[in-house]
Amino acid sequence: MIKRTASARAASAVDRRDFIRLAGATAAAWLTLGATSDRVRIVASLTALPLDDELTRRSMTESATTRLGGLIAGLRQRGWVEGVNYHFEIRSSFGGPDKLKAAVQELIDLKPDVILTGSTGETAAVMAATKTIPIVFATSNDPVGNGFVESLAHPGGNVTGFTSSTAEMGGKWLQLIREAVPDIARVGVLFNPASTPRAGRFYLDSIEQEAAASGVTVVLAPVSTAADIDRAISRFSESPKAAMISLVDSFLVVNRQAIVATTAKYSVPMIYPFHYFMDAGGLMSYGPTLEVRSADYVDLILRGTKAGDLPVQSPRKYELLINRTVANALGLTIPFTLLARADEIRE
C-alpha cells in the first residue's frame, strides 16, 4: 500500500515547448534507432475533453506521467522525434455532434498516418469517416460489441487499441462501495446514455446481479446535460440510505468537477472508474492503472504494420484509491480491511 501526500503526488510539469526542444536535441540519434527518413509522418489525436481542460493541458506538458505526454516520450525512445520525422496534431470533439463531426473532418483532411481516439463515441465517428487510415483507441470497453473489431485477438480492418475495463467491473464497483458504506439500501448509477457503452447496459447487468445477491435496489440516474447533475445526485441524499456508482463515461469525465462537488454538497458517497475523479476530490475509485502503451502500436503502424493485425490489449493491473479525508467529511469510517487493499490512500 502506498500513501502519498498531495505534494508527493504532484508531478513536475515541463513546458511543452521545452519538452519538444529537448526531444529535438536527440534528433541526431533517430536514424540509429531505426525510424524511417523518407517523409515526415503525421500522428493525430482526438480528445473528448476541451483543449483547455486541466487533463488535456497536463497531458501535453508532463512527459511519461500522462497518456499523450507518454506517447510523445515513447515515440522519441523509438526514434520518432516530433518536429523532425513526425508531427503531432490534436483536436477536441467537445461541444456536441457538430463539433465532433468538424474535428474528425479536420483530422481526416490532414491525411494522418494514424489517428488516436480517446472514447467510444470518438472511435465510432472516426471509423465512420475512414476505412483506410489506421485508428488506435486509447480506451474502449466493448470494442467487439461496438463493432470496432472482429475479435480482440484478430481485430481486422483498420482499428486496434486498448480496453479499460470489462462488463464485470459493475459488480466490483458495487462490492467496493458497499464495503465503504455497508448499510446502504439503494445504489444510484450515474451515466449519460449517449456516451457510455451500450447506453449503460454494458455495466448494468453485473451491477444488477450483484445488487440482487446483496439485497440492494439499483436506481438509474441518467444525465444528458451538466444541468441534470444536481437533480440526479440530490435524490440519493434522502432515505433510504444510498450510495452511487459513476460509470465509464467521457461526459462524466468532462464534468468531473461538478459531479464531485455535488456529491460533497449532498453528502452522497460515490465510487468512480478513474483516478481523474480522485484528483477532483472524489471518495474512491477503482479502475485500470494508467499504462502508456500506445507508443508501441503507433511505432509499429508508422513502420508499416496493419492496425488490424495488432491484437486489442486489456489492462494488466487495476488500482483502488481511497480518500480518507473525504470519507471523514461524509461521516464514513472506512473498514481497515478495505484500506489494507488500497493501492493509494489520500489524506
Side-chain angles (χ1 to χ4, degrees):
M1 180 176 67
I2 302 172
K3 297 185 179 181
R4 302 175 186 167
T5 62
S7 59
R9 293 192 307 270
S12 57
V14 179
D15 185 273
R16 187 165 185 263
R17 289 171 296 181
D18 293 337
F19 177 75
I20 295 172
R21 193 176 301 120
L22 177 63
T26 67
W30 67 275
L31 280 173
T32 304
L33 291 172
T36 61
S37 60
D38 54 341
R39 63 184 176 84
V40 175
R41 311 302 175 89
I42 297 177
V43 177
S45 179
L46 186 64
T47 176
L49 297 171
L51 292 180
D52 61 353
D53 186 279
E54 178 189 357
L55 288 180
T56 309
R57 294 198 308 269
R58 192 189 309 167
S59 288
M60 298 309 300
T61 57
E62 296 176 9
S63 59
T65 62
T66 61
R67 184 171 285 122
L68 292 182
L71 169 68
I72 294 172
L75 287 176
R76 178 163 53 89
Q77 292 172 351
R78 292 159 178 81
W80 300 100
V81 181
E82 187 180 19
V84 176
N85 56 354
Y86 87 98
H87 289 303
F88 182 75
E89 298 281 348
I90 184 170
R91 299 292 186 274
S92 170
S93 64
F94 179 76
D98 291 342
K99 181 60 186 294
L100 172 60
K101 183 177 180 180
V104 169
Q105 191 58 53
E106 281 186 33
L107 292 183
I108 297 296
D109 289 345
L110 292 171
K111 296 181 172 57
D113 295 273
V114 59
I115 298 176
L116 289 92
T117 58
S119 73
T120 298
E122 293 169 355
T123 304
V126 176
M127 286 186 66
T130 178
K131 301 300 181 185
T132 57
I133 298 174
I135 301 167
V136 177
F137 49 79
T139 59
S140 178
N141 301 285
D142 186 20
V144 177
N146 284 307
F148 296 164
V149 298
E150 295 174 7
S151 71
L152 299 183
H154 303 285
N158 61 318
V159 185
T160 189
F162 306 86
T163 63
S164 60
S165 60
T166 64
E168 290 71 27
M169 285 288 287
K172 184 65 175 180
W173 291 323
L174 179 51
Q175 290 174 7
L176 290 169
I177 194 65
R178 284 191 66 243
E179 286 190 61
V181 196
D183 56 344
I184 60 171
R186 301 179 295 156
V187 62
V189 183
L190 187 70
F191 65 102
N192 183 338
S195 52
T196 196
R198 297 189 196 176
R201 287 300 341 159
F202 185 67
Y203 299 106
L204 283 171
D205 288 344
S206 64
I207 291 175
E208 290 169 350
Q209 290 171 8
E210 178 64 28
S214 56
V216 174
T217 300
V218 176
V219 182
L220 304 188
V223 292
S224 57
T225 69
D228 297 334
I229 292 172
D230 189 281
R231 173 194 54 78
I233 294 175
S234 64
R235 59 193 176 120
F236 293 98
S237 64
E238 305 167 354
S239 296
K241 191 165 185 178
M244 296 189 73
I245 296 170
S246 165
L247 297 189
V248 172
D249 186 332
S250 59
F251 172 84
L252 301 186
V253 174
V254 170
N255 292 281
R256 63 195 181 281
Q257 299 282 356
I259 291 168
V260 171
T262 305
T263 61
K265 174 183 175 181
Y266 292 108
S267 298
V268 177
M270 186 182 293
I271 186 169
Y272 305 95
F274 300 121
H275 69 86
Y276 312 133
F277 293 89
M278 299 295 291
D279 298 339
L283 169 64
M284 60 191 300
S285 69
Y286 182 73
T289 303
L290 177 63
E291 296 179 280
V292 183
R293 292 181 281 165
S294 55
D296 293 330
Y297 275 10
V298 172
D299 172 58
L300 289 170
I301 290 170
L302 292 179
R303 296 177 190 277
T305 303
K306 294 181 180 179
D309 291 339
L310 298 170
V312 174
Q313 296 189 42
S314 300
R316 291 178 289 194
K317 184 179 184 298
Y318 291 86
E319 61 182 2
L320 172 63
L321 279 61
I322 298 173
N323 191 315
R324 192 151 47 184
T325 300
V326 173
N328 291 338
L330 292 171
L332 301 176
T333 300
I334 305 297
F336 175 77
T337 52
L338 184 59
L339 292 173
R341 303 203 310 275
D343 296 275
E344 180 180 336
I345 297 175
R346 300 188 179 186
E347 303 289 353

